[in-house]
Amino acid sequence: MTTQTDTPGARYGGTGGPVMSARERTARTLGDRIGVRVFLVAMSLLFLLPIYWMIITSLKSNEELGITPATLFPKVLHWGNYIEAFRAFPFATYFGNSLLITVLSVIGSIISNLIVAYGFSCIDWRGRDKVFYVVLATLFIPFPIALIPTFDLFAWLHWINTLLPLVVPNFLGSAFFIFLLRQFLLQIPREHLDAARIDGASEARILWQVVFPMARPAVAAVAIFTAVGAWNDFLGPLLYLQDEAKQTLAIGIQAFRSTHDVQFNLLMAASLMILAPLVILFFAAQKYFIRGITLGSFK
């Protein structure tokens, strides 16, 4: 008759760690998940606090803004602040200019960066990687160094006081976006490309009919980054646009602030109207944006 001895191996197993039952492992996993979610909710509330403060400030009256301590919710919702802020400066004109610049910039960025990234990832040619490293090296050029030469170039082309300096550079590619798209395109199976070439498809047709549908997540990420940069651009319109009718919302809100800085409710209302299109764009393309960033970060 054998007796069961309480040995370390019986209690801890061969790995030297304690053996947990299925119920204990489930409880531990559930506890970890709950802890992570509580942390994420707390951090999201922390980041959403400024947005909440903008919203409630935009709905307060001038009298309620002077109350100390500040109220956490308006006593009366003044939706008319948005109408007053819209009429306080040429919001519709500035909005149209910003929208036009943003749309053209997104189109140019997608076309140029996707073509260049396709050449660096899906076509084999001598010196490809070396040229790609040269393109990446341009990321380390400080922007102030190129500011004056770029302005002189646009002045020589007689592009000052036009939208061209704000749009055309996006049709010439960006080192960061080329890198992002290239990393994503390297994951596309080469068998798809080789099969298309065997069928007689040109490189342009392969790019737009085979590669582009597969690269939509990365393209969406590039589109969002470009749209946010063009919509919020302040220095570009400040340098190149002199006519008030051609100014953008970034310049308009600054001019509005200089004349209505005491009326924080109108300032927050105007800021929220400027912020709203970007929020809508992000949530509309959120799925593709996250896939483009995560899948393009490794091969």
Side-chain angles (χ1 to χ4, degrees), residues 114 117 121-122 177-189 211-222 288-299:
L114 185 60
S121 59
C122 300
F177 294 148
I178 292 172
F179 169 77
L180 180 64
L181 288 171
R182 175 183 178 271
Q183 296 304 110
F184 189 93
L185 295 183
L186 287 174
Q187 303 173 66
I188 295 179
V211 174
F212 179 74
M214 297 182 181
R216 285 179 181 176
V219 171
V222 172
Y288 296 105
F289 175 75
I290 295 176
R291 286 183 58 192
I293 294 299
T294 55
L295 294 180
S297 59
F298 62 89
K299 180 181 177 182

Side-chain angles (χ1 to χ4, degrees), residues 173-243:
S174 168
F176 174 73
F177 294 148
I178 292 172
F179 169 77
L180 180 64
L181 288 171
R182 175 183 178 271
Q183 296 304 110
F184 189 93
L185 295 183
L186 287 174
Q187 303 173 66
I188 295 179
R190 300 301 295 266
E191 292 78 8
H192 294 72
L193 308 180
D194 295 337
R197 293 189 179 101
I198 293 175
D199 291 339
S202 62
E203 295 297 336
R205 186 175 181 181
I206 294 174
L207 172 61
W208 298 114
Q209 295 187 2
V210 178
V211 174
F212 179 74
M214 297 182 181
R216 285 179 181 176
V219 171
V222 172
I224 291 178
F225 279 130
T226 304
V228 172
W231 187 266
N232 293 330
D233 186 20
F234 177 80
L235 184 59
L238 182 65
L239 289 176
Y240 303 121
L241 300 181
Q242 301 171 354
D243 190 357

Side-chain angles (χ1 to χ4, degrees), residues 2 12 14 29 34 47 62-63 65 82 94 100 110 112 120 132 141 145 157 188 224 226 247 249 256 261 269:
T2 59
Y12 294 96
T29 302
I34 293 176
F47 282 97
N62 293 327
E63 294 76 13
L65 289 175
Y82 288 89
Y94 295 163
L100 178 61
I110 291 176
S112 60
F120 281 131
F132 176 69
I141 300 177
I145 293 180
L157 294 173
I188 295 179
I224 291 178
T226 304
Q247 294 292 350
L249 285 173
F256 177 81
D261 57 345

Side-chain angles (χ1 to χ4, degrees), residues 95-139:
F95 182 88
N97 295 335
S98 296
L99 183 62
L100 178 61
I101 293 173
T102 301
V103 171
L104 294 177
S105 298
V106 169
I107 294 175
S109 182
I110 291 176
I111 294 176
S112 60
N113 292 296
L114 185 60
I115 292 175
V116 177
Y118 176 79
F120 281 131
S121 59
C122 300
I123 301 178
D124 295 327
W125 46 280
R126 182 178 298 179
R128 183 187 69 176
D129 294 338
K130 294 180 180 179
V131 176
F132 176 69
Y133 296 147
V134 173
V135 173
L136 282 184
T138 60
L139 288 172

Side-chain angles (χ1 to χ4, degrees), residues 31-86:
D32 293 340
R33 291 181 178 179
I34 293 176
V36 170
R37 281 162 174 74
V38 169
F39 174 76
L40 292 177
V41 169
M43 294 302 297
S44 63
L45 293 177
L46 180 63
F47 282 97
L48 288 175
L49 182 60
I51 305 298
Y52 171 76
W53 197 256
M54 288 179 62
I55 295 175
I56 64 173
T57 303
S58 67
L59 295 174
K60 290 182 179 180
S61 63
N62 293 327
E63 294 76 13
E64 190 173 358
L65 289 175
I67 297 178
T68 304
T71 55
L72 297 179
F73 193 82
K75 298 179 180 179
V76 179
L77 299 179
H78 292 268
W79 297 103
N81 291 340
Y82 288 89
I83 300 177
E84 188 175 352
F86 182 85

